[in-house]
Amino acid sequence: MSVIQVINPNTSDAMTATIAAAARAVAAPGTEIIAVSAAQGVPSIEGHFDEAIAAVGVLEQINRGKAQGVDGHVIACFGDPGLLAARELARGPVIGIAEAAMHMATLVATRFTVVTTLPRTLVIARHLLRQYGFEHHCAALHAIDLPVLALEDGSGIAQEKVRQRCIQALREDGCGAIVLGCGGMASLARDLTQEVGVPIIDGVSAAVKMVEALIGLGLSTSKQGDLAWPLRKTMTGAFEHLN
Amino acid sequence: MSVIQVINPNTSDAMTATIAAAARAVAAPGTEIIAVSAAQGVPSIEGHFDEAIAAVGVLEQINRGKAQGVDGHVIACFGDPGLLAARELARGPVIGIAEAAMHMATLVATRFTVVTTLPRTLVIARHLLRQYGFEHHCAALHAIDLPVLALEDGSGIAQEKVRQRCIQALREDGCGAIVLGCGGMASLARDLTQEVGVPIIDGVSAAVKMVEALIGLGLSTSKQGDLAWPLRKTMTGAFEHLN
Amino acid sequence: MSVIQVINPNTSDAMTATIAAAARAVAAPGTEIIAVSAAQGVPSIEGHFDEAIAAVGVLEQINRGKAQGVDGHVIACFGDPGLLAARELARGPVIGIAEAAMHMATLVATRFTVVTTLPRTLVIARHLLRQYGFEHHCAALHAIDLPVLALEDGSGIAQEKVRQRCIQALREDGCGAIVLGCGGMASLARDLTQEVGVPIIDGVSAAVKMVEALIGLGLSTSKQGDLAWPLRKTMTGAFEHLN
Amino acid sequence: MSVIQVINPNTSDAMTATIAAAARAVAAPGTEIIAVSAAQGVPSIEGHFDEAIAAVGVLEQINRGKAQGVDGHVIACFGDPGLLAARELARGPVIGIAEAAMHMATLVATRFTVVTTLPRTLVIARHLLRQYGFEHHCAALHAIDLPVLALEDGSGIAQEKVRQRCIQALREDGCGAIVLGCGGMASLARDLTQEVGVPIIDGVSAAVKMVEALIGLGLSTSKQGDLAWPLRKTMTGAFEHLN
Amino acid sequence: MSVIQVINPNTSDAMTATIAAAARAVAAPGTEIIAVSAAQGVPSIEGHFDEAIAAVGVLEQINRGKAQGVDGHVIACFGDPGLLAARELARGPVIGIAEAAMHMATLVATRFTVVTTLPRTLVIARHLLRQYGFEHHCAALHAIDLPVLALEDGSGIAQEKVRQRCIQALREDGCGAIVLGCGGMASLARDLTQEVGVPIIDGVSAAVKMVEALIGLGLSTSKQGDLAWPLRKTMTGAFEHLN
Amino acid sequence: MSVIQVINPNTSDAMTATIAAAARAVAAPGTEIIAVSAAQGVPSIEGHFDEAIAAVGVLEQINRGKAQGVDGHVIACFGDPGLLAARELARGPVIGIAEAAMHMATLVATRFTVVTTLPRTLVIARHLLRQYGFEHHCAALHAIDLPVLALEDGSGIAQEKVRQRCIQALREDGCGAIVLGCGGMASLARDLTQEVGVPIIDGVSAAVKMVEALIGLGLSTSKQGDLAWPLRKTMTGAFEHLN
């Protein structure tokens, strides 16, 4: 029996619900999912400024999860905000959803395409591709040009744009799989995979399976070297509680 | 309930037994492991020539596993021989143990070291690092300078050399994790991880968990594009049965 | 007449004083330097966790500087925490000291070496080298294995270790210049340059001159595309004031 | 007087004839060309599965050529199947036609385009570009979307599609030369070079000249290190004769 | 008070005047600009042959500037001809205008586009991007397909084509800034920046500010290692005077 | 019958004799070698300044060779000075000796080491490795720390240092071949290859065979695109005769 904490780095509980459902849909019988929003911060993450704020919210939740004794953590925003900091702080493994989706995509196709929300977030995906080593495995990056929260407005417009962009990408990019570039798209992957006939990969579910895999292997972040526990320091102001 | 076929690409049944044990040690309750040696080929794989032979043995076993209805496949030799060909041929996901170990290593450390058998196989690991995207995540590659089958001679000498090389690597390489570069080292990972205090990663167990993860996500190799089913052709000679 | 805000992302005022002195020593006649510490956060920055905290402190100061009407900003910690977020937020140009030092080093030598504090921070420098494009211009990275605040303890021990590491690097690395990898080393550059006879580059002074250069050219961060102003959102909790 | 064995890795004798003619057309006065098909395997090579089969056929022929005392070998399929394995096995130099064409292209243009048969084979060319070091020298890759054997159907349709794709590539890609991406296109290079006015490079003829060059220099594969003779092992089954 | 020598590597005095004006427009109060044309060579630089000739003209002027006691040098042709040779020869810092513009562009945008004159010069910019480390920061390269001297013909046609190409690039390339790829475009930057609303960067003015920055930091080319003074040798013929 | 012009870019006739002998030793029966020194310039090439001078000397000789109707050209200095400029100017193919040696080395080993003269020239080799695409094929670069002309002083000291460096490199670098990094080492390759038992590659002989190969294929520099003929311009001063 293991417990995985799935952290939505933004404060939108509707999105947290979408993410939680996607996580639970794939969790193994012995896995419990605890899904949380950031306790404070931004309602959606669409740029570096938003990410910097969200990273602190992630770290707060990592601390809470650690106190609760969870076995691993998922950072459920496609920019993986605070990932390496969270790895320093956590006892169990920590996986970002961009990371998880990109890794999985390289296991089922020689090249993948990313479909995300606003064009301004493409640079974040591009930086992650380089950091994770997958820039040569990425055929193309596309944005549907709608904000993250359009995925939660109930109209289905954003979902339809994602769907059309995936179909177009398959025709034009020479890719074999598609990575959905937002935690809010988590509910779309399974149906789209059926419809378009190639793996459409959601990072939330991918990350849950990766954390399960690491737990099953008895592996967690190396505490020797550059991801060792944060050095103990006197923190001040709004960060005092993180100490 | 799912069935994973673990293929030892060489013909040494002793090594297959080592590999099978490592696979079963981490398999989820609902996973059955079928471990097989190559039906024909080379007793160990220590170069490109050996790999070319072994790749055919892998494909034969993929075909058999497919006929048996297995859900996924592991190629249990650190050079991942025949990986992309096997992905074309198989219905379920296929993971190589070098691939699995390297992916896992990047999730628990910023840089990892590889420890393998003969120096002549280092080039194979180096090529895989580039192909998978992890050349910047690899701190160093080392060979213990003993052949693969020394791991099966019962003396424990090779195992001790691996152990010492890991300890030395941690002092010198600036790595946070170590990847064991041979299927025959699968039994060493857990104890070494305990002893040296950083993740020592065995590809066999890592690959089993990755195949489980892909099965759990309902993902398999994309059949659109460059990993589509092999085109049907009249094969001749020793390969006729692969048709 | 222009005003440059030099932000020490940590809360150690002694280090801010060192940084301020280095900044003022090179500022052009028409440049006023305003040096500030983070208002809240960590007393030194030695890992990703510290950086995530510090990034928020940087953004707070960017906002204050913007309110004061400063013309440009320097982020005076060698990891450049919050750099891209700060570029979204600021009106004037923003330069990190790692970035500045690395750029300058490539203009005076074909390859440079980095000398920093704790080994665990090397990964941060390595990531920045890749992000800025200078991984092929870096001959080696070294850590003196002392914490950042050892540079402020008045003993001179850390300074002496930096000095010796520079001299050794010049003998062994095949580099033509050395980048000092910590804001707290800012006061060492000029004397060391004299002593060892190659450019020893401090990022604080380099960043001040780069901001002056950008101001002189009438250039600031592009507000079209992925560094546009942060989208306006309802921020909550400790971040409310950043809105 | 030297003898070069040109190995068509597939079993199609018509293609072997095309390849032999191209080889003989450029062979030096003192060079004898022996052209052979794979003795067993696949009639054409259009994916990784086909390549894995073909690699064994190549090794069989390398062994025969070695027994006959040939001075060097060409692997005449654009994926260069079995290249490094063949280098371990052979006494004389071994050159693949993709390798040869790509090397030559970089000597006569700053960037080249590749034109090949089926889209699914593009990934193979892309992997070779990285392995050989020429990814930055490649302007684009195109497929005419016809199978390899269409080049042997006598209709000339495939040849005309190659011709048109070359002309279009020159207009659009900013390339200075074109590499023909299939052994079956060998007969087209000289006329196309005349017609379109830039080097259109066939790998078969390029490889023959490269093997001649290596023989002339007294150079062959280094037998120290990772391309040393295959270690002697007991091979079983269909591979017994390769021992 | 410092003196910067701005060297137009071609012999066209009209272009030197354009360059001088751009340099003086941004020079600090304490900076004197000396602008010179190459004393001999080619009237414009549009290829590698032209560059090889121009490099000697640059070195001659570096020598003259050194004799005059100037404090730093700018090489005002977008291919930066002779840059590393000039660094060996000069006492003060030497900056090329392609280098300066590219560096500055990465400080104000995550990706930039280059707009230059003839398509044949694109390869030079591409090589510099790799050498300086900015290939991943460049979104696209475009040529207006007019020769360099069209910028000096008084018709304004070339200037208008540059303007339109910048506007189109911003719509299509996903870039945040544009680098003008020719010294003859120096006068366009400021107005274009106003008009199109993103940084349009001229290398001449950028290089002047970078040389000022280096002088202000007391930094010049490292004379230890591979940019040390040229070894003294007996030069003959037209190069005797360079000794 | 074809004529290859081998250009020693420096003015030392003794070195030209060494180079000519190496070229003639491998030339095919139908190949005539014309070996020339630069008519003016520097007696040896050991840095970027020397290279800039030498490039002009190369271009002068290319022009003379073209007037004589030679079929191809070799630039016989390990920095390949003026290579792309020469390709614009020449009618026949032009090959540099660094280029030739590096290409050949990748055909006989997975990784090679470079042994050159002065440490300050290592940067030139490093830049060429990147430009030609072989940075991942190079295991190490070493300098014997003697000037180029030490190879012509008759003492044999430099030759002995080269020999010892090769032997040491084979023990330590994990390379399978060695590239001799100076035209003046051309006479050493064959004997060293015998003695140390791996390919020791001299660029002069390699380049001659590569030019022969290109001539045999009917290939020369593409005149479409960025290596087209130099645009006709009014050249002045010492360069007038190059017009």
Side-chain angles (χ1 to χ4, degrees):
Chain A
M1 186 68 193
S2 61
V3 182
I4 298 177
Q5 181 195 38
V6 179
I7 305 167
N8 174 10
N10 72 39
T11 58
S12 295
D13 292 334
M15 190 170 297
T16 307
T18 302
I19 287 167
R24 290 195 181 105
V26 298
T31 300
E32 183 190 342
I33 299 293
I34 299 179
V36 293
S37 310
Q40 52 181 347
V42 281
S44 63
I45 302 169
E46 296 157 324
H48 302 97
F49 177 81
D50 295 350
E51 280 211 335
I53 303 302
V56 177
V58 167
L59 296 176
E60 287 175 341
Q61 292 297 355
I62 293 279
N63 257 348
R64 291 187 194 180
K66 197 159 65 161
Q68 292 169 287
V70 307
D71 299 287
H73 312 260
V74 169
I75 301 178
C77 165
F78 198 74
D80 297 352
L83 178 61
L84 293 179
R87 285 204 176 127
E88 292 183 1
L89 194 59
R91 195 178 301 107
V94 187
I95 300 289
I97 66 169
E99 180 182 51
M102 290 172 181
H103 276 266
M104 289 297 184
T106 69
L107 303 177
V108 294
T110 61
R111 297 209 299 170
F112 62 84
T113 282
V114 176
V115 173
T116 187
T117 52
L118 288 182
R120 70 181 291 159
T121 68
L122 291 173
V123 66
I124 294 173
R126 227 178 268 126
H127 286 174
L128 294 181
L129 284 168
R130 287 207 82 204
Q131 184 179 328
Y132 300 151
F134 301 138
E135 58 188 316
H136 294 286
H137 300 78
C138 182
L141 300 118
H142 305 291
I144 58 165
D145 209 357
L146 286 178
V148 167
L149 293 181
L151 288 157
E152 305 295 337
D153 70 4
S155 72
I157 292 175
Q159 283 78 357
E160 177 56 21
K161 284 195 96 167
V162 170
R163 187 181 150 274
Q164 287 174 8
R165 202 64 196 78
C166 288
I167 292 168
Q168 187 183 352
L170 280 171
R171 269 203 320 271
E172 296 174 0
D173 295 351
C175 63
I178 293 175
V179 163
L180 297 179
C182 179
M185 299 177 185
S187 58
L188 306 178
R190 227 166 244 257
D191 284 358
L192 272 176
T193 297
Q194 290 302 316
E195 179 185 353
V196 302
V198 307
I200 309 287
I201 301 171
D202 152 53
V204 176
S205 46
V208 167
K209 300 313 281 183
M210 276 203 159
V211 172
E212 285 182 352
L214 287 164
I215 292 172
L217 292 165
L219 293 177
S220 186
T221 302
S222 177
K223 287 301 177 186
Q224 174 157 328
D226 44 40
L227 296 175
W229 304 109
L231 298 172
R232 290 203 65 81
K233 312 190 168 165
T234 307
M235 275 180 280
T236 55
F239 308 109
E240 219 172 324
H241 66 295
L242 280 170
N243 208 337
Chain B
M1 187 69 193
S2 61
V3 183
I4 297 177
Q5 181 195 37
V6 178
I7 303 168
N8 174 9
N10 72 40
T11 58
S12 294
D13 291 335
M15 189 170 298
T16 307
T18 302
I19 289 166
R24 290 196 180 104
V26 299
T31 301
E32 182 190 343
I33 299 292
I34 297 180
V36 292
S37 310
Q40 54 181 348
V42 282
S44 63
I45 301 168
E46 296 158 324
H48 301 97
F49 176 82
D50 296 349
E51 281 210 335
I53 303 302
V56 177
V58 167
L59 297 177
E60 287 175 340
Q61 292 296 356
I62 294 279
N63 257 348
R64 291 186 195 181
K66 197 161 63 164
Q68 291 170 287
V70 307
D71 299 288
H73 312 259
V74 169
I75 300 178
C77 166
F78 198 74
D80 298 352
L83 178 60
L84 293 180
R87 285 202 177 130
E88 292 182 1
L89 193 60
R91 195 178 301 106
V94 186
I95 299 289
I97 65 170
E99 179 183 52
M102 291 173 181
H103 277 265
M104 289 297 184
T106 68
L107 302 177
V108 294
T110 62
R111 296 208 300 169
F112 61 86
T113 281
V114 176
V115 173
T116 187
T117 53
L118 290 182
R120 69 180 292 159
T121 68
L122 291 173
V123 65
I124 295 173
R126 228 178 267 123
H127 285 175
L128 293 181
L129 284 167
R130 288 206 81 205
Q131 183 179 328
Y132 300 151
F134 301 138
E135 59 189 317
H136 293 286
H137 300 80
C138 182
L141 299 119
H142 305 291
I144 58 167
D145 209 356
L146 284 178
V148 167
L149 293 181
L151 289 157
E152 303 296 336
D153 71 5
S155 72
I157 294 175
Q159 283 77 358
E160 177 57 22
K161 286 196 92 166
V162 171
R163 188 182 150 273
Q164 288 175 8
R165 203 64 198 77
C166 288
I167 292 168
Q168 189 183 350
L170 280 170
R171 270 202 319 272
E172 297 174 358
D173 295 351
C175 62
I178 293 175
V179 164
L180 297 180
C182 179
M185 299 176 183
S187 57
L188 306 177
R190 227 165 244 258
D191 284 0
L192 273 175
T193 297
Q194 290 300 316
E195 182 184 351
V196 303
V198 306
I200 310 285
I201 300 171
D202 152 53
V204 177
S205 46
V208 167
K209 300 313 279 183
M210 276 204 158
V211 171
E212 285 181 353
L214 286 164
I215 292 172
L217 292 165
L219 293 177
S220 185
T221 303
S222 176
K223 288 301 177 186
Q224 173 158 330
D226 44 40
L227 295 175
W229 303 108
L231 297 173
R232 291 203 64 81
K233 311 189 171 169
T234 307
M235 275 182 277
T236 56
F239 308 109
E240 219 173 324
H241 67 295
L242 280 170
N243 207 338
Chain C
M1 188 67 191
S2 60
V3 182
I4 298 177
Q5 181 196 37
V6 179
I7 305 168
N8 174 11
N10 72 39
T11 58
S12 295
D13 292 334
M15 189 169 298
T16 307
T18 302
I19 288 167
R24 288 193 183 105
V26 300
T31 301
E32 181 190 345
I33 300 292
I34 299 179
V36 292
S37 310
Q40 52 182 349
V42 281
S44 63
I45 301 170
E46 295 156 325
H48 301 97
F49 176 82
D50 295 350
E51 280 209 337
I53 304 303
V56 177
V58 167
L59 297 176
E60 288 175 339
Q61 291 296 355
I62 294 279
N63 257 348
R64 292 187 195 180
K66 197 160 63 162
Q68 292 171 288
V70 306
D71 299 286
H73 312 260
V74 169
I75 301 178
C77 166
F78 198 73
D80 297 351
L83 178 60
L84 293 179
R87 285 204 177 128
E88 291 181 2
L89 194 58
R91 194 178 302 106
V94 186
I95 300 289
I97 67 170
E99 178 183 54
M102 291 173 182
H103 277 266
M104 289 297 184
T106 69
L107 303 178
V108 294
T110 62
R111 297 209 299 169
F112 61 85
T113 282
V114 175
V115 173
T116 186
T117 53
L118 289 182
R120 70 180 293 159
T121 67
L122 291 174
V123 66
I124 295 173
R126 228 179 266 124
H127 285 174
L128 294 182
L129 284 168
R130 286 206 82 204
Q131 183 179 328
Y132 299 151
F134 300 137
E135 58 187 319
H136 294 286
H137 301 79
C138 181
L141 298 119
H142 305 291
I144 59 166
D145 209 357
L146 285 179
V148 167
L149 293 181
L151 288 157
E152 304 295 337
D153 70 5
S155 72
I157 292 175
Q159 283 77 358
E160 177 56 22
K161 284 195 97 166
V162 170
R163 188 182 150 272
Q164 288 175 7
R165 203 64 197 78
C166 288
I167 291 168
Q168 188 183 351
L170 279 171
R171 269 203 319 271
E172 298 174 358
D173 295 351
C175 64
I178 293 175
V179 162
L180 297 179
C182 179
M185 299 175 183
S187 58
L188 306 177
R190 226 165 244 257
D191 284 359
L192 272 175
T193 297
Q194 290 301 316
E195 181 185 350
V196 303
V198 306
I200 310 286
I201 300 171
D202 152 53
V204 177
S205 47
V208 167
K209 299 313 280 184
M210 276 204 158
V211 172
E212 286 181 352
L214 286 164
I215 293 172
L217 292 166
L219 293 176
S220 186
T221 303
S222 176
K223 286 301 177 188
Q224 171 158 331
D226 43 39
L227 296 175
W229 303 108
L231 297 173
R232 290 203 66 80
K233 312 189 170 169
T234 308
M235 275 181 279
T236 56
F239 308 109
E240 219 172 325
H241 67 293
L242 279 170
N243 210 338
Chain D
M1 187 69 192
S2 61
V3 182
I4 298 176
Q5 182 196 36
V6 178
I7 303 169
N8 175 8
N10 71 39
T11 58
S12 296
D13 291 334
M15 190 170 297
T16 308
T18 301
I19 289 166
R24 289 195 182 105
V26 300
T31 301
E32 182 189 343
I33 299 293
I34 298 180
V36 293
S37 309
Q40 52 180 348
V42 281
S44 63
I45 301 169
E46 295 157 324
H48 301 96
F49 176 81
D50 295 349
E51 280 209 336
I53 303 302
V56 177
V58 167
L59 297 176
E60 286 176 342
Q61 292 297 355
I62 294 278
N63 258 347
R64 290 187 196 179
K66 196 160 62 162
Q68 290 170 289
V70 307
D71 298 287
H73 312 260
V74 169
I75 300 178
C77 166
F78 199 74
D80 297 351
L83 179 61
L84 293 179
R87 285 203 177 128
E88 291 183 1
L89 193 60
R91 195 179 301 108
V94 186
I95 299 290
I97 65 170
E99 179 183 52
M102 291 173 180
H103 276 266
M104 289 297 183
T106 68
L107 303 177
V108 294
T110 62
R111 297 209 300 170
F112 61 85
T113 283
V114 176
V115 174
T116 187
T117 52
L118 290 182
R120 71 181 291 158
T121 67
L122 291 173
V123 65
I124 295 173
R126 229 179 264 123
H127 286 175
L128 294 181
L129 284 168
R130 288 206 81 204
Q131 183 179 328
Y132 300 150
F134 301 137
E135 58 188 319
H136 294 287
H137 301 79
C138 182
L141 298 118
H142 305 291
I144 57 166
D145 209 357
L146 284 179
V148 167
L149 293 182
L151 288 157
E152 303 296 337
D153 70 5
S155 72
I157 293 175
Q159 283 77 358
E160 176 56 21
K161 284 195 95 167
V162 171
R163 188 181 150 273
Q164 288 174 7
R165 203 67 197 73
C166 287
I167 291 168
Q168 188 184 350
L170 280 171
R171 271 203 317 271
E172 297 175 358
D173 295 352
C175 63
I178 294 174
V179 163
L180 297 180
C182 180
M185 299 176 184
S187 57
L188 306 178
R190 226 164 244 258
D191 284 359
L192 273 175
T193 297
Q194 290 301 317
E195 181 184 351
V196 303
V198 307
I200 310 287
I201 300 172
D202 152 54
V204 177
S205 47
V208 167
K209 301 313 281 184
M210 276 203 159
V211 172
E212 285 181 352
L214 286 165
I215 293 172
L217 292 165
L219 293 176
S220 186
T221 303
S222 176
K223 287 302 174 184
Q224 174 159 327
D226 45 38
L227 296 175
W229 303 108
L231 298 173
R232 290 204 66 80
K233 312 190 169 169
T234 307
M235 276 181 277
T236 56
F239 307 109
E240 219 173 323
H241 67 294
L242 279 171
N243 208 335
Chain E
M1 187 67 193
S2 61
V3 182
I4 298 177
Q5 181 197 36
V6 179
I7 304 168
N8 174 10
N10 72 39
T11 58
S12 295
D13 291 335
M15 188 170 300
T16 307
T18 302
I19 289 166
R24 289 194 182 106
V26 298
T31 300
E32 181 191 344
I33 299 292
I34 299 180
V36 293
S37 311
Q40 52 181 347
V42 282
S44 63
I45 301 170
E46 295 157 324
H48 301 96
F49 176 82
D50 295 350
E51 280 210 336
I53 303 302
V56 177
V58 167
L59 297 176
E60 288 175 339
Q61 292 296 356
I62 293 280
N63 258 347
R64 291 187 196 179
K66 196 160 65 162
Q68 291 170 288
V70 305
D71 299 286
H73 312 260
V74 169
I75 301 178
C77 165
F78 198 73
D80 296 353
L83 177 61
L84 292 180
R87 284 202 177 129
E88 292 182 1
L89 193 59
R91 195 179 300 108
V94 186
I95 300 288
I97 65 169
E99 179 182 53
M102 291 173 182
H103 277 266
M104 288 298 184
T106 69
L107 303 176
V108 294
T110 63
R111 296 209 299 170
F112 62 85
T113 282
V114 176
V115 174
T116 186
T117 53
L118 288 183
R120 71 180 293 159
T121 68
L122 291 174
V123 66
I124 294 173
R126 229 178 265 125
H127 286 175
L128 293 181
L129 284 168
R130 287 207 82 204
Q131 183 179 329
Y132 299 150
F134 301 137
E135 57 188 319
H136 294 286
H137 301 78
C138 181
L141 298 118
H142 304 291
I144 57 165
D145 208 359
L146 284 179
V148 167
L149 293 181
L151 289 156
E152 303 295 338
D153 70 5
S155 72
I157 293 175
Q159 283 78 357
E160 177 57 21
K161 285 195 96 167
V162 170
R163 188 182 150 275
Q164 289 174 7
R165 203 66 197 74
C166 288
I167 292 167
Q168 187 183 352
L170 279 171
R171 269 203 320 271
E172 298 174 358
D173 295 351
C175 64
I178 293 175
V179 163
L180 297 179
C182 180
M185 299 176 185
S187 58
L188 307 177
R190 226 165 244 258
D191 285 358
L192 273 176
T193 297
Q194 291 301 317
E195 180 185 351
V196 301
V198 306
I200 309 285
I201 301 171
D202 152 54
V204 176
S205 46
V208 167
K209 299 314 280 185
M210 277 203 158
V211 172
E212 285 181 353
L214 287 165
I215 293 172
L217 292 165
L219 293 176
S220 186
T221 303
S222 176
K223 286 303 177 186
Q224 173 159 329
D226 44 39
L227 296 175
W229 303 108
L231 297 173
R232 291 204 63 82
K233 311 189 170 168
T234 307
M235 275 182 278
T236 55
F239 308 108
E240 220 172 325
H241 67 295
L242 280 171
N243 209 338
Chain F
M1 188 66 194
S2 62
V3 182
I4 298 176
Q5 182 196 38
V6 179
I7 304 168
N8 174 10
N10 72 39
T11 58
S12 294
D13 292 334
M15 188 170 298
T16 307
T18 301
I19 288 167
R24 288 194 183 107
V26 299
T31 302
E32 183 190 344
I33 299 293
I34 298 179
V36 293
S37 310
Q40 54 180 346
V42 280
S44 62
I45 301 169
E46 296 157 323
H48 300 97
F49 176 82
D50 295 350
E51 279 210 336
I53 303 302
V56 177
V58 167
L59 296 176
E60 288 175 339
Q61 292 297 354
I62 294 279
N63 258 347
R64 290 188 195 180
K66 196 159 64 162
Q68 291 170 287
V70 307
D71 299 286
H73 312 261
V74 169
I75 300 178
C77 167
F78 199 74
D80 298 350
L83 178 61
L84 292 179
R87 285 204 176 126
E88 292 182 1
L89 193 60
R91 195 178 301 107
V94 186
I95 300 289
I97 66 169
E99 180 183 53
M102 290 173 181
H103 277 265
M104 288 297 183
T106 68
L107 303 177
V108 294
T110 61
R111 297 209 299 170
F112 62 85
T113 282
V114 176
V115 174
T116 187
T117 53
L118 289 182
R120 70 181 291 160
T121 68
L122 291 174
V123 65
I124 294 173
R126 228 179 266 124
H127 286 175
L128 293 182
L129 284 168
R130 287 206 82 204
Q131 183 179 330
Y132 300 151
F134 301 137
E135 59 188 317
H136 294 286
H137 300 79
C138 182
L141 298 119
H142 304 291
I144 58 167
D145 209 356
L146 284 178
V148 168
L149 292 181
L151 289 157
E152 305 295 337
D153 70 4
S155 73
I157 292 174
Q159 283 79 358
E160 177 56 21
K161 286 195 96 166
V162 171
R163 188 182 149 273
Q164 288 175 8
R165 204 64 198 76
C166 287
I167 291 168
Q168 188 184 351
L170 280 170
R171 269 203 319 273
E172 298 173 358
D173 295 351
C175 63
I178 293 175
V179 163
L180 297 180
C182 179
M185 299 177 184
S187 58
L188 306 178
R190 229 166 241 258
D191 284 359
L192 272 175
T193 297
Q194 289 302 316
E195 181 185 350
V196 303
V198 306
I200 310 286
I201 300 171
D202 152 53
V204 177
S205 46
V208 167
K209 300 312 281 184
M210 276 203 158
V211 172
E212 285 182 352
L214 286 165
I215 293 172
L217 292 165
L219 293 177
S220 185
T221 303
S222 176
K223 287 302 175 186
Q224 173 159 330
D226 44 39
L227 295 175
W229 303 109
L231 298 173
R232 291 205 65 80
K233 310 187 172 171
T234 306
M235 275 181 279
T236 55
F239 308 109
E240 217 173 326
H241 66 296
L242 279 171
N243 208 336

